[in-house]
Amino acid sequence: MEPTFNLEIITPYRVFVGTASEMIIVNTIDGELGILPDHEPVAAPIVIGPIKVKIGGKWKNAAVSDGILEVVHERVTMLVGAAEWPEEIDVARAERSRARALERLKDTTVVWEAHRAKAALLRAETRLKIAKGSTP
Ligand code: ATP
């Protein structure tokens, strides 16, 4: 059996993952980070995008919103705004969300509104990619 660490991915709505994992690949503000057992301690902001986790020998993809990551003593904890497996994603909803965000981006000149619309666009595009089975 491959060595594992304890992985917890928590959203405001549920414990998305709470199990042993062999590896996780996430996007942080400094770029892609792959974590294996025995990883050095890390705390880093996570950006909206795809993640890959290996659980029980199988790789799974998921979409996550932004959040934070902590690695300490064989325990990896991620607190994120939202997380979904491919089969949970409502594609029509993500398409509506994407269209709304594009409209807002076209209409607004207000910096914070544009920033929020870009984040919404990125969440929707990540969900669409993950739902369609595109691997990160
Ligand atoms: P929307 O505009 O459709 O609400 P959003 O990006 O603003 O999208 P979030 O705030 O990131 O949504 O998520 C709120 C909750 O809805 C979370 O539980 C998230 O997992 C879920 N969610 C959002 N979009 C989808 C989707 N397309 N399919 C399934 N669950 C979704």
Side-chain angles (χ1 to χ4, degrees):
M1 263 200 11
E2 282 184 70
T4 60
F5 53 82
N6 256 342
L7 176 64
E8 284 209 315
I9 304 179
I10 298 163
T11 81
Y13 311 97
R14 60 178 168 161
V15 176
F16 180 67
V17 174
T19 189
S21 165
E22 294 95 312
M23 186 172 181
I24 180 164
I25 302 171
V26 297
N27 290 305
T28 74
I29 51 165
D30 294 323
E32 198 176 77
L33 177 66
I35 301 166
L36 287 161
D38 208 22
H39 197 281
E40 63 181 16
V42 172
I46 299 165
V47 296
I48 299 163
I51 61 166
K52 275 180 89 131
V53 288
K54 193 174 182 188
I55 297 172
K58 288 198 183 117
W59 281 102
K60 292 179 84 175
N61 298 319
V64 297
S65 290
D66 44 11
I68 55 166
L69 165 87
E70 182 193 55
V71 183
V72 64
H73 298 316
E74 298 305 311
R75 203 183 70 235
V76 177
T77 309
M78 285 171 57
L79 303 180
V80 289
E84 301 93 32
W85 300 117
E87 61 276 15
E88 294 175 331
I89 293 171
D90 178 340
V91 170
R93 176 175 168 181
E95 275 166 355
R96 284 195 302 273
S97 186
R98 182 174 179 278
R100 257 196 325 272
L102 285 171
E103 278 303 307
R104 266 186 278 146
L105 270 177
K106 220 168 45 186
D107 292 347
T108 190
T109 52
V110 181
V111 173
W112 67 265
E113 273 182 0
H115 182 79
R116 285 185 60 171
K118 276 185 201 159
L121 181 61
L122 200 52
R123 287 196 300 277
E125 287 182 338
T126 299
R127 287 177 176 128
L128 291 170
K129 258 192 232 156
I130 291 295
K132 285 175 187 143
S134 315
T135 48

